[in-house]
């Protein structure tokens, strides 16, 4: 058998001029795709655009060294901005620093505690719904850049889209999105075309900010104000980051360290809070640009993205402000189309898939699109998947009754997992009035998973006692025996 190819490392990329150029160019393209979203998210969060841009530099650079998922882009994100916005609006921007620091500490504890492993409980149908909803959100977010603009914007949009789609057929030496952005920008500048540009989105130049000053007292009153927002920032950021890491794992066919990614995000957010001012998380759309269109695979691309963003904000802000928004919109719309898992919505696939799986995917998409929040949609999808799974498993338990020839003993064989969903009906599966005085319940093909099952078995035993019959439970594995012995007869106290 041929050994699987090893993933590209930083040292491997540094030794290969071609691989290094791919990483560098991918980082540059990703930065250009990052800027408009970061600026627009700063408006949602109620902070100066420069704050979000500098925080994004800190996040991207620090995660390049600390993160557990190479090539994943971390910056000031919309999901975090939606959570932070109400706090800033109601209490002021001065409460942002302690909120971000507290959120970072929670994320560090989450990562060091190994809780990132909870990601394994997100079903495939939820993950597909997440990816499809992401594609929809990215596409819809670009639509405003094509509405109410000069007709000159549409030929530029079409040109950018054609370059992105067709150039890879000729060469992959240079990222097609970068060529598209440069060509469209040069045309707009040479011919003085009046189309919306990055500069119209908000101020992006100026001096670097200093260390963020703490201007609120660290007391219980402040903690009472910030802790709900801090927890929301922490868990929304973690969920979006870990989902993006899983998606990146699938695209690159490599594995990442989710625990390291979690605590590293906390450290990066604390650094961004002190120098920048706002928290962030993984940027899903820009990560797809980096690893899918840019073909980046190492930390070099994310480091370049952070450093190039710093260069643009400080020295090249005038050039960056000239980029037409339709060029970036074309790139992101193609990213959106390529992000959607079209096989999952193919009529043939939908026909073969179990209805509950399709329902979970559709609900996940609907909630994400309705709330514009990936974390809420994924949470809703997971809850629905759990309910449907419990409902399905609840009906797989079977009880077989066998009366011995002499009629002096009856044997019940229980098959299937016993938990709150399946054990509630267990009590009704026995013939209490008709059975002899000796009852044997064989649980060798079952396992006890919760207190509800122990309570159900206690109820079975009590009902037989009312009919002067004794019950013996046999066949349980060691774990179930210990669990049953610890709780039986004590749940009614």
């Amino acid at each position: 058998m041929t050994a699987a190819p090893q993933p590209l490392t930083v040292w491997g990329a540094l030794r290969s001029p071609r691989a290094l150029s791919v990483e560098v160019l991918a980082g540059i393209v990703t930065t250009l795709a990052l800027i408009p979203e970061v600026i627009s998210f700063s408006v949602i969060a109620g902070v100066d655009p420069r704050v979000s841009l500098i925080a994004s530099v800190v996040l991207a650079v620090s995660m390049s060294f600390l993160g557990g998922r190479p090539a994943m882009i971390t910056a000031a994100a919309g999901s975090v901005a939606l959570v932070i916005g109400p706090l800033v609006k109601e209490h002021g921007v001065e409460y942002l620093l302690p909120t971000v620091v507290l959120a970072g500490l929670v994320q560090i504890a989450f990562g060091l505690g190994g809780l990132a492993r909870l990601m394994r409980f997100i079903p495939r149908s939820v993950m597909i719904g997440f990816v499809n909803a992401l594609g929809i959100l990215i596409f819809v977010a670009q639509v405003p850049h094509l509405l109410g603009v000069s007709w000159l914007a549409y030929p530029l949009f079409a040109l950018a889209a054609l370059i992105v789609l067709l150039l890879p057929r000729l060469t992959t030496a240079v990222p097609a999105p970068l060529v598209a952005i440069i060509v469209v920008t040069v045309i707009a500048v040479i011919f003085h075309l009046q189309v919306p540009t990055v500069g119209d989105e908000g101020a992006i130049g100026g001096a670097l900010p200093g260390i963020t000053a703490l201007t609120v007292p660290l007391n219980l009153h402040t903690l009472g104000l910030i802790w709900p927002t801090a927890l929301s920032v922490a868990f929304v950021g973690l969920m979006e980051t870990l989902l993006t890491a899983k998606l990146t794992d699938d695209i690159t066919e490599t594995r990442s360290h989710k625990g390291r990614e979690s605590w590293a995000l906390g450290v990066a957010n604390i650094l961004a809070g002190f120098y920048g001012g706002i928290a962030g998380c993984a940027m899903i759309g820009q990560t797809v640009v980096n690893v899918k269109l840019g073909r980046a695979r190492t930390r070099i691309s994310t480091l370049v993205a952070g450093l190039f963003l710093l260069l643009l904000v400080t020295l090249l802000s005038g050039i960056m402000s000239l980029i037409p928004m339709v060029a970036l919109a074309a790139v992101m719309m193609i990213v959106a189309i390529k992000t959607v898992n079209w096989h999952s919505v193919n009529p043939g696939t939908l026909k073969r898939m179990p209805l509950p799986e399709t329902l979970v995917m559709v609900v996940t998409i609907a909630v994400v699109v309705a709330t514009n929040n990936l974390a809420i949609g994924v949470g809703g999808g997971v809850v629905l998947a759990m309910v449907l799974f419990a409902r399905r498993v609840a009906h797989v338990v079977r009880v077989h009754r066998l009366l011995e020839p002499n009629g002096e003993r009856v044997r019940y064989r229980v098959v299937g997992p016993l938990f709150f969903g399946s054990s509630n009906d267990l009590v009704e599966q026995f013939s209490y009035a008709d059975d002899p005085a000796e009852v044997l319940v064989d649980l060798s093909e079952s396992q006890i998973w919760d207190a509800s099952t122990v309570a159900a078995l206690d109820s079975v035993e009590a009902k037989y006692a009312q009919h002067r019959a004794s019950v013996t439970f046999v066949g349980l594995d060691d774990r179930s025996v210990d669990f049953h012995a610890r709780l039986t007869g004590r749940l009614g106290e």
Side-chain angles (χ1 to χ4, degrees), residues 418-420 423-424 426-427 432 448-463 473 483-484 487-492:
L418 296 174
F419 68 108
F420 63 90
S423 61
N424 285 334
L426 185 65
V427 180
Y432 302 101
I448 297 175
W449 289 108
D450 59 8
S452 296
T453 301
V454 177
L457 295 178
D458 286 351
S459 180
V460 170
E461 197 168 5
K463 285 182 177 292
F473 300 109
F483 189 84
H484 181 262
L487 295 179
T488 184
R490 296 178 175 85
L491 296 176

Side-chain angles (χ1 to χ4, degrees), residues 24-34 175 177-179 181 289 308 331:
V24 171
L25 293 174
I28 292 173
V29 173
T30 302
T31 303
L32 297 176
L34 179 71
L178 180 59
V179 175
I181 293 168
V289 170
F308 187 58
V331 171

Side-chain angles (χ1 to χ4, degrees), residues 125-138 336 339-345 361-362 364-365 368-369 374:
S125 52
V126 174
M127 193 65 195
I128 292 176
F130 163 80
V131 170
N132 291 345
L134 166 65
I136 294 171
L137 289 184
I138 294 174
T339 298
V340 172
N341 186 328
W342 294 104
H343 177 72
S344 68
V345 294
M361 181 186 72
V362 171
T364 301
I365 295 172
V368 169
V369 173
L374 289 161

Side-chain angles (χ1 to χ4, degrees), residues 363-447:
V363 168
T364 301
I365 295 172
V367 174
V368 169
V369 173
T371 63
N372 202 36
N373 190 311
L374 289 161
I376 293 176
V378 169
V382 169
V383 170
L384 178 61
M386 290 170 60
V387 170
L388 293 176
F389 174 77
R391 181 176 180 273
R392 197 159 60 242
V393 174
H395 299 290
V396 302
V397 172
R398 302 185 305 280
V399 178
H400 305 281
R401 181 177 182 270
L402 178 64
L403 182 65
E404 293 192 356
N406 58 16
E408 294 180 358
R409 189 171 73 167
V410 66
R411 181 186 186 91
Y412 285 91
R413 184 166 63 92
V414 181
V415 181
L418 296 174
F419 68 108
F420 63 90
S422 61
S423 61
N424 285 334
D425 297 333
L426 185 65
V427 180
E428 303 172 3
Q429 304 297 316
F430 297 87
S431 304
Y432 302 101
D434 301 330
D435 285 343
E438 188 178 349
V439 179
L440 186 71
V441 179
D442 183 0
L443 297 170
S444 58
E445 297 178 75
S446 300
Q447 287 183 315

Side-chain angles (χ1 to χ4, degrees), residues 16 57 85 147 238 245 249 279 283 304 321 333 372 388 414 463 481:
S16 168
V57 171
L147 300 178
L238 281 169
D249 291 350
M283 298 284 283
V304 169
S321 65
M333 280 185 164
N372 202 36
L388 293 176
V414 181
K463 285 182 177 292
V481 168

Side-chain angles (χ1 to χ4, degrees), residues 193-213:
L193 302 181
Q194 298 301 310
V195 294
T197 63
V198 171
D200 298 329
E201 297 292 301
I204 52 179
L208 292 175
I211 300 298
T212 307

Side-chain angles (χ1 to χ4, degrees), residues 69-70 72 244-254 287 291:
R69 173 61 263 178
M72 189 168 73
T244 306
K246 191 173 187 304
L247 176 64
T248 309
D249 291 350
D250 294 340
I251 293 173
T252 61
E253 297 182 347
T254 57
T287 298
V291 299

